Amino acid sequence: MKYIEPVKSIILLLLILLSLTLTFTIWTYSPKYDTTEPPVVNISIAEKKKMEDVIKPYRLLISQPENLRGSHSIVDINNVINPMKNWEIETVKLYSNNTNAGQVNELINKPYTSTLFFQADIPIESYSTILKFLDPIFPNSSFNRLVIDWSTKSVDQRVGEKESDQGATLYFISTTLNKIYTANVTKEDIFGFSERMVKTSNAMLEYKEIVREGKVSLYTTSNPEKVVQYTYLVEEIDTNRFKDALFNIPSLVVRRSNPVGSGEQYTDDNALMTVDPISKRLSYVHPASEGEFLGKSSELLYNSLSFVNEHDGWTDDYRFSRMNKNASQVNYQLYFDGLPVFSKDMLTTEIVQVWGSNRVYRYNRPYYTLNALPITSTDLELPSGQNAYELLSLAPNSQVSLIEDLVQGYYISKDEDQPLFTLVPSWYYQVNGSWLRLSPETIGGGTYGLE
């Protein structure tokens, strides 16, 4: 019995040590959680773009004493814009607050000038992402013509000089607002730029000014032009990729047939995306974002670019073509080979965004692409723009006095029996902001077209 008490003491000590060990284990225990992350959804559809990629002129006009030449080639246009990126542009100032057609025509036709034509009014502030402005404060205005006046000295007068003591002058013209702003340029090689313009002009087509009393002149080709008609296999982008890009939690999106038409719908508790296989268009709407966008036009344009960049959604050459600030709407027009693409049937050729107070409210766009190689191409001859205008002036109920511009474009159509697109070179004229195709029906059944 004399060993019982020591044994009890040892057992008690062991119990105390076991208790302490268990307590320490509980305090320091850290469960091993599953560290496997949920799969990352790739929302990249095509590519991102910069502001200079979507704010592109559709025409370049170079005026010299003996001729007027024009081009829609992006190579020729870049021959003007690229050297301008190295210029330092001084403060933009008001030149005319109530300009008239005569002033605009005079500036564009002045010898030793280059004019860039834009499809929409560009906020001057937005263009500061492309060119270098010394003054960060910009007028709350826009332009759709940019005239570069390099006539401080003619090329002949500069022979033998290394530098010019005078710089170019820029004129930011809005034919919709009837305003002109101007800015001087410093630190540019005006002599080198002048030589570049003459060389570029020599390779361009001869253009004709169509003068109209009290109206801004039209500028178009004076001779028939060799063009190409293309045929493409229809290439569609998987609409599930847009679903993954536009919805916050793609796995919760429900897919169903469109109850009010053809195609399909994708929906969750916040948004709806409708896919129309006839027009090859998808329409996305986020109802909770409906509201008024209170920012500046330059901010709206920047937001629209950034939104498409978020899902790398620039599938083809789309260019800024229209803005309705009151409706918070921004449009981008499809271009192909430097020319706008239009369609009179159901096929859509525009990206359209409507913005709410802080995010996109509505987003409509094509889900086809023209990036593949054509399966056929046919050489054709397109009548001159001057001939097209004369035909329009002879048409019944002629609207030539209302024409705002006359451009070459592509008419895109879908084959009814096969998955094919056809791109037909055509003349288009603009009336009240809408582009209309010149066709035999337009001129009352007369002879017109490609040969």
Side-chain angles (χ1 to χ4, degrees):
M1 298 295 291
K2 65 179 180 179
Y3 297 109
I4 292 177
E5 291 302 322
V7 169
K8 286 181 178 180
S9 299
I10 292 172
I11 293 173
L12 180 61
L13 178 62
L14 291 173
L15 290 173
I16 291 172
L17 291 173
L18 179 61
S19 176
L20 290 172
T21 301
L22 291 173
T23 301
F24 178 79
T25 301
I26 293 171
W27 285 352
T28 59
Y29 173 70
S30 177
K32 294 183 178 180
Y33 295 103
D34 184 4
T35 57
T36 303
E37 296 182 357
V40 176
V41 178
N42 180 15
I43 64 171
S44 175
I45 294 171
E47 63 180 7
K48 290 180 171 62
K49 288 194 175 181
K50 300 177 181 179
M51 190 69 77
E52 65 182 302
D53 299 321
V54 297
I55 298 182
K56 287 183 180 178
Y58 65 89
R59 179 190 294 134
L60 164 65
L61 201 69
I62 297 181
S63 176
Q64 297 192 78
E66 303 300 326
N67 57 59
L68 186 67
R69 294 182 179 269
S71 174
H72 57 74
S73 164
I74 194 62
V75 174
D76 294 332
I77 290 171
N78 284 340
N79 277 338
V80 178
I81 295 179
N82 286 341
M84 293 175 63
K85 294 177 182 178
N86 298 317
W87 295 358
E88 292 185 353
I89 303 170
E90 297 178 348
T91 301
V92 178
K93 300 177 181 179
L94 183 65
Y95 179 81
S96 174
N97 196 37
N98 187 25
T99 190
N100 55 54
Q103 285 179 296
V104 174
N105 295 336
E106 183 179 355
L107 284 173
I108 293 175
N109 281 281
K110 182 180 179 181
Y112 307 113
T113 60
S114 303
T115 303
L116 300 171
F117 292 71
F118 297 86
Q119 195 171 343
D121 272 38
I122 313 296
I124 296 176
E125 184 172 355
S126 297
Y127 218 62
S128 66
T129 63
I130 301 172
L131 302 183
K132 188 189 303 181
F133 291 81
L134 298 177
D135 190 344
I137 300 175
F138 299 92
N140 184 23
S141 192
S142 56
F143 67 98
N144 54 24
R145 308 280 190 274
L146 176 55
V147 177
I148 305 104
D149 183 352
W150 38 277
S151 64
T152 52
K153 292 182 180 179
S154 71
V155 175
D156 293 338
Q157 289 175 310
R158 298 192 193 103
V159 172
E161 295 183 14
K162 293 183 178 180
E163 293 182 336
S164 172
D165 57 358
Q166 293 178 298
T169 302
L170 304 182
Y171 296 93
F172 300 87
I173 303 172
S174 173
T175 58
T176 54
L177 300 175
N178 296 321
K179 289 186 178 182
I180 301 176
Y181 284 82
T182 187
N184 293 322
V185 178
T186 60
K187 289 192 176 180
E188 92 284 20
D189 177 12
I190 191 64
F191 178 50
F193 182 77
S194 301
E195 287 189 321
R196 190 185 188 109
M197 291 302 94
V198 172
K199 184 177 179 180
T200 299
S201 174
N202 289 338
M204 290 163 50
L205 296 177
E206 183 179 337
Y207 266 51
K208 170 75 173 179
E209 179 190 11
I210 300 176
V211 179
R212 304 176 299 166
E213 185 176 355
K215 300 281 186 179
V216 174
S217 294
L218 302 178
Y219 301 92
T220 189
T221 54
S222 55
N223 296 302
E225 185 178 352
K226 298 295 182 181
V227 293
V228 181
Q229 175 177 304
Y230 297 96
T231 300
Y232 279 83
L233 279 171
V234 174
E235 182 177 345
E236 297 182 2
I237 302 165
D238 185 356
T239 53
N240 282 298
R241 298 173 67 184
F242 287 100
K243 176 205 71 176
D244 293 340
L246 298 176
F247 289 87
N248 292 333
I249 308 178
S251 60
L252 299 181
V253 174
V254 176
R255 180 178 178 180
R256 67 190 183 193
S257 297
N258 186 359
V260 294
S262 61
E264 298 175 320
Q265 289 186 339
Y266 298 80
T267 183
D268 62 6
D269 293 337
N270 300 306
L272 172 69
M273 186 177 81
T274 303
V275 177
D276 184 349
I278 298 176
S279 64
K280 305 297 179 187
R281 177 180 66 185
L282 65 84
S283 303
Y284 169 86
V285 62
H286 192 274
S289 298
E290 186 175 13
E292 183 181 2
F293 182 83
L294 300 177
K296 298 184 294 185
S297 296
S298 57
E299 294 169 341
L300 179 59
L301 180 57
Y302 175 80
N303 287 354
S304 69
L305 172 68
S306 299
F307 173 75
V308 180
N309 277 343
E310 286 174 3
H311 52 274
D312 295 359
W314 300 108
T315 52
D316 288 281
D317 182 10
Y318 285 93
R319 303 184 188 181
F320 173 56
S321 60
R322 191 184 315 170
M323 178 186 291
N324 184 335
K325 182 60 172 61
N326 293 331
S328 305
Q329 179 174 317
V330 181
N331 293 34
Y332 292 89
Q333 179 72 48
L334 175 63
Y335 273 70
F336 178 82
D337 198 22
L339 298 175
V341 179
F342 302 104
S343 176
K344 74 174 182 180
D345 55 22
M346 294 292 292
L347 202 62
T348 185
T349 61
E350 280 189 304
I351 292 176
V352 181
Q353 297 179 37
V354 178
W355 275 73
S357 57
N358 57 9
R359 62 157 291 163
V360 72
Y361 162 62
R362 190 180 298 277
Y363 177 45
N364 299 338
R365 62 161 300 145
Y367 63 88
Y368 64 84
T369 179
L370 300 176
N371 272 330
L373 293 174
I375 59 173
T376 66
S377 60
T378 306
D379 293 330
L380 303 167
E381 186 175 89
L382 188 69
S384 70
Q386 184 177 356
N387 178 241
Y389 180 83
E390 290 169 355
L391 289 172
L392 277 171
S393 64
L394 297 174
N397 303 315
S398 173
Q399 295 180 306
V400 290
S401 63
L402 302 177
I403 292 178
E404 297 159 9
D405 208 346
L406 179 67
V407 303
Q408 289 182 38
Y410 280 104
Y411 170 68
I412 187 171
S413 62
K414 184 178 179 299
D415 192 283
E416 294 183 358
D417 302 317
Q418 303 179 73
L420 298 174
F421 285 146
T422 302
L423 289 161
V424 182
S426 305
W427 281 107
Y428 281 85
Y429 60 101
Q430 187 180 37
V431 176
N432 295 327
S434 297
W435 290 99
L436 306 172
R437 186 183 182 214
L438 178 58
S439 63
E441 293 78 12
T442 307
I443 58 175
T447 302
Y448 165 77
L450 304 164
E451 299 177 355

